[in-house]
């Protein structure tokens, strides 16, 4: 044991992914594997508490675009095209009454496009460089109040926040909040009536406090309740309180596991911890549901492709 060469955790992770994800994703796996091993591509989340107009102009001069507004425009155009096709088909199929029914059905079908139908806050803006361009954003500069103009994060990390679809004065819980990118994004909507940000790790909540201090003015920071409870016990503290709950659970964090030795969950000493992840995720999701008001909404998200950590937990 002492003389055998130590297998790097990243290699163990990639071997595990090759064995499991190739069966799950089949022909898609080779291209997904390449993406997983490519350099991480960041987005710049505009900080509305700084000088957003100046920041957006600066980012657009770099040839970056706001992927959220672009996606919404594309979805709306697709919907308009679909409406035109259905209206034309309705008019060809018969009477005016038939046409009216067809248009009503089209309206129902629009509900199948969550991105089009969601009331995404126009205040959330995240700039990315075009596909194939891995240019790095420069570190954000502080304004005259000391607040940074944008926060660099994996752009995909914004998708759970958009899916949460926060409405005016919603009580919102970010159950596993640290290091704080999603909490900051929730604040950018300007819609949260109350925001609670929780993470079991005190050291990670310190990082969350640092982010809030760097991006959010004091009067807004004071409205955010930051706690360090075990999220699985949250319902005992605040049961049935929130309109919207984000449960962004600990997971195998596939890109990190395949690329970084530091704090890698595929280290042999962490095997038991890794095997217990789906149970932990299930417990956190149940706690998130119990913390939600009747009629409220819960978004469950991971940074993993694993069906055991995604579909199986939901089932």
């Amino acid at each position: 044991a002492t003389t055998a060469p130590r297998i790097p955790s990243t290699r163990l992770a990639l071997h595990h992914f090759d064995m499991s994800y190739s069966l799950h994703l089949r022909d898609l796996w080779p291209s997904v594997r390449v993406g997983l091993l490519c350099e991480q591509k960041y987005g710049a989340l505009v900080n509305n508490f700084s000088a957003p107009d100046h920041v957006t102009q600066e980012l657009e001069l770099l040839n970056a675009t706001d992927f959220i507004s672009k996606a919404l425009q594309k979805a709306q155009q697709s919907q308009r095209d679909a409406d035109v096709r259905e209206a034309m088909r309705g008019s060809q199929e018969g009477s005016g009454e038939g046409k009216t029914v067809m248009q009503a059905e089209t309206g129902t079908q629009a509900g199948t496009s969550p991105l089009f139908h969601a009331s995404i806050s126009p205040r959330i803006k995240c700039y990315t460089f075009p596909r194939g361009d891995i240019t790095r954003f420069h570190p954000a500069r502080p304004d005259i109040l000391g607040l940074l103009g944008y926060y660099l994060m994996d752009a995909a990390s914004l998708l759970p926040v958009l899916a949460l679809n926060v409405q005016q004065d919603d009580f919102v819980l970010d159950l596993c909040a640290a290091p704080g990118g999603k909490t900051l994004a929730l604040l950018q909507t300007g819609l949260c009536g109350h925001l609670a940000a929780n993470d079991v790790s005190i050291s990670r909540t310190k990082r969350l406090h640092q982010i809030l201090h760097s991006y959010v003015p004091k009067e807004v920071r004071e409205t955010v309740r930051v706690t360090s409870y075990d999220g699985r016990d949250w319902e005992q503290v605040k049961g049935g309180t929130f309109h919207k709950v984000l449960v962004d659970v600990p997971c195998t964090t596939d890109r990190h596991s395949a690329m970084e030795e530091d704090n890698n969950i595929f280290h042999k000493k962490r095997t038991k911890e890794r095997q217990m992840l789906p149970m932990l995720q299930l417990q956190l999701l149940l706690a998130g549901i119990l913390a939600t008001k009747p009629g409220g909404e819960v978004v469950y998200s991971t940074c993993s492709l694993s069906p055991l950590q995604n579909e199986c937990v939901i089932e």
Side-chain angles (χ1 to χ4, degrees):
T2 55
T3 57
R6 188 176 71 84
I7 301 173
S9 302
T10 50
R11 192 165 141 202
L12 286 173
L14 199 55
H15 176 70
H16 176 83
F17 297 156
D18 281 334
M19 295 292 287
S20 57
Y21 295 165
S22 60
L23 295 174
H24 176 55
L25 298 172
R26 299 185 183 277
D27 293 344
L28 289 174
W29 172 236
S31 61
V32 173
R33 190 183 196 272
V34 169
L36 198 65
L37 296 174
C38 282
E39 186 175 349
Q40 190 166 6
K41 183 171 179 174
Y42 286 96
L45 174 68
V46 175
N47 183 18
N48 293 314
F49 301 110
S50 182
D53 291 340
H54 174 74
V55 172
T56 54
Q57 289 171 10
E58 182 182 309
L59 293 171
E60 284 167 4
L61 285 172
L62 297 173
N63 196 33
T65 54
D66 174 23
F67 86 87
I68 300 170
S69 62
K70 238 172 113 178
L72 282 171
Q73 288 166 10
K74 188 174 180 181
Q76 289 164 351
Q77 184 58 52
S78 297
Q79 190 60 50
R80 284 193 291 268
D81 292 345
D83 288 345
V84 169
R85 286 196 298 272
E86 290 293 349
M88 289 175 66
R89 193 172 76 183
S91 64
Q92 290 167 358
E93 287 180 357
S95 67
E97 183 181 352
K99 180 180 176 183
T100 304
V101 171
M102 187 61 68
Q103 288 171 332
E105 287 175 356
T106 304
T108 304
Q109 290 163 359
T112 62
S113 173
L115 186 59
F116 175 78
H117 216 53
S119 304
I120 292 172
S121 169
R123 298 193 70 204
I124 294 188
K125 296 183 185 300
C126 185
Y127 282 77
T128 57
F129 289 109
R131 184 176 180 137
D133 184 344
I134 57 169
T135 304
R136 285 183 172 268
F137 289 101
H138 298 298
R141 295 189 301 272
D143 62 12
I144 55 173
L145 298 175
L147 300 177
L148 298 175
Y150 53 82
Y151 177 77
L152 297 181
M153 65 190 300
D154 189 320
S157 294
L158 265 184
L159 299 181
V161 175
L162 299 178
L164 201 59
N165 192 19
V166 178
Q167 301 297 302
Q168 188 68 52
D169 298 327
D170 274 351
F171 276 41
V172 182
L173 167 62
D174 189 352
L175 189 62
C176 309
K182 294 180 182 68
T183 303
L184 181 61
L186 286 165
L187 287 171
Q188 299 306 315
T189 66
L191 297 171
C192 300
H194 172 74
L195 177 59
N198 177 74
D199 198 278
V200 67
S201 167
I202 294 174
S203 62
R204 283 165 62 86
T205 50
K206 284 182 180 176
R207 170 68 178 146
L208 172 57
H209 276 293
Q210 290 171 355
I211 286 176
L212 292 175
H213 192 271
S214 298
Y215 289 88
V216 182
K218 184 180 179 182
E219 61 272 17
V220 179
R221 285 202 307 271
E222 290 174 346
T223 67
V224 182
R225 185 183 176 212
V226 179
T227 55
S228 294
Y229 297 117
D230 185 330
R232 292 171 291 184
D233 300 326
W234 183 269
E235 80 278 7
Q236 297 173 15
V237 184
K238 286 277 185 182
T241 304
F242 299 92
H243 300 98
K244 303 288 171 66
V245 176
L246 176 59
V247 187
D248 184 56
V249 292
C251 64
T252 49
T253 321
D254 292 354
R255 181 192 291 276
H256 177 89
S257 295
M259 299 284 280
E260 302 285 342
E261 281 297 311
D262 184 44
N263 198 31
N264 195 311
I265 200 164
F266 279 86
H267 192 284
K268 287 189 175 181
K269 290 181 179 179
R270 300 183 70 184
T271 301
K272 184 71 173 176
E273 180 187 350
R274 189 176 76 250
Q275 290 172 342
M276 292 301 293
L277 273 176
M279 179 56 69
L280 171 63
Q281 293 159 345
L282 176 60
Q283 291 169 334
L284 287 167
L285 176 55
L286 288 170
I289 292 169
L290 290 170
T292 310
K293 285 177 178 288
E297 295 177 89
V298 177
V299 169
Y300 172 86
S301 61
T302 74
C303 300
S304 172
L305 297 166
S306 166
L308 285 175
Q309 299 175 63
N310 291 296
E311 295 91 333
C312 292
V313 171
I314 298 300
E315 285 180 19

